[in-house]
């Protein structure tokens, strides 16, 4: 059964307030956010690769947490897509009258609840913080800004974004809780192996030194 909106529980006043605020912000800011709302998805990708590369010099648990970042993000997005097909909430840019959006409204059938962008932002941010605590200073603000931008440009209700944030963060926490310990033991066993070890350990790091072969005496 199709549900056009969750207005039964959430008033559209917040959506109107945010889009009205966006319409009165400077043109350069509107342009930056309209472009950045999609382009910013590259930031978590870069940070995930950087975190994995750094983790190779540390403990096996750190490697596992770094590798779980893309896994949790993908799992969260898949669950988000399932929820979209079940809830089938129409985009607010189609259902709320007299609202000007900064980007074209997605086609009908591209459902609104929950926000995939917010899901990706929260899943990656939470995973990155678990793997590298210092990244909280960057990953969390970027994630929150990316989620907010979906309402700012007019393609999501606030509750779409909130649901995406909870879904993404929850998925990262769940996978870390369920798989960090058993996968750490697996990585401990795989690190000394020549082929897989390249992905799991740096030869210049402590773990790499532990598995490197001793030099022959001259």
């Amino acid at each position: 059964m199709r549900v056009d909106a969750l207005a039964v529980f959430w008033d559209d006043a917040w959506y109107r307030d945010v889009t009205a605020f966006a319409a009165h912000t400077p043109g350069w800011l509107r342009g930056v956010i309209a472009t950045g709302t999609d382009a910013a998805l590259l930031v978590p990708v870069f940070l995930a690769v950087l975190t994995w590369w750094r983790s190779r010099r540390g403990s096996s648990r750190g490697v596992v947490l770094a590798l779980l970042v893309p896994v949790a993000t993908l799992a969260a997005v898949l669950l988000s897509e399932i929820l979209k097909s079940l809830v089938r909430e129409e985009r607010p840019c189609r259902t709320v009258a007299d609202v000007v959006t900064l980007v074209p409204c997605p086609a009908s059938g591209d459902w609104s609840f929950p926000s995939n962008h917010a899901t990706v932002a929260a899943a990656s941010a939470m995973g990155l913080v678990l793997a590298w605590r210092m990244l909280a200073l960057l990953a969390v603000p970027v994630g929150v800004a990316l989620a907010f931008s979906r309402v700012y440009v007019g393609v999501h209700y606030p509750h779409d974004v909130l649901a995406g944030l909870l879904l993404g963060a929850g998925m990262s926490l769940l996978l870390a809780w369920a798989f960090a310990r058993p996968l750490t033991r697996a990585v401990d066993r795989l690190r000394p192996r020549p082929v897989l070890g390249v992905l799991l350990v740096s030869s210049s790091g402590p773990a790499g030194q532990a598995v490197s072969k001793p030099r022959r005496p001259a």
Side-chain angles (χ1 to χ4, degrees), residues 52-126:
W52 160 72
W53 188 260
R54 173 184 178 273
S55 72
R56 294 163 65 246
R57 299 175 58 88
S59 67
S60 295
R61 178 178 173 81
V63 173
V64 169
L65 292 175
L67 293 177
L68 280 176
V69 174
V71 174
T73 302
L74 178 59
V77 170
L78 290 176
L79 181 55
S80 175
E81 286 295 329
I82 293 173
L83 290 174
K84 281 178 179 289
S85 65
L86 293 175
V87 177
R88 304 182 73 190
E89 177 195 75
E90 192 62 88
R91 298 273 180 167
C93 43
R94 294 188 176 279
T95 60
V96 179
D98 302 322
V99 172
V100 177
T101 63
L102 302 187
V103 297
C105 192
S108 181
D110 186 349
W111 308 116
S112 189
F113 179 89
S115 164
N116 278 345
H117 281 67
T119 300
V120 169
S124 58
M126 180 60 73

Side-chain angles (χ1 to χ4, degrees), residues 10 15-16 77 114 122 135 145 154-155 181 199:
W10 291 83
Y15 172 77
R16 288 182 176 276
V77 170
L135 278 184
V155 296
R181 181 173 296 179
L199 300 175

Side-chain angles (χ1 to χ4, degrees), residues 152-176:
Y152 180 94
V153 299
V155 296
H156 277 291
Y157 289 104
H159 65 261
D160 299 334
V161 168
L162 177 61
L165 290 173
L166 293 174
L167 173 61
M171 182 63 72
S172 287
L173 288 171
L174 177 62
L175 293 190

Side-chain angles (χ1 to χ4, degrees), residues 132-147:
W132 188 358
R133 298 295 175 85
M134 287 296 295
L135 278 184
L137 299 175
L138 177 59
V140 172
V142 168
V144 171
L146 176 56

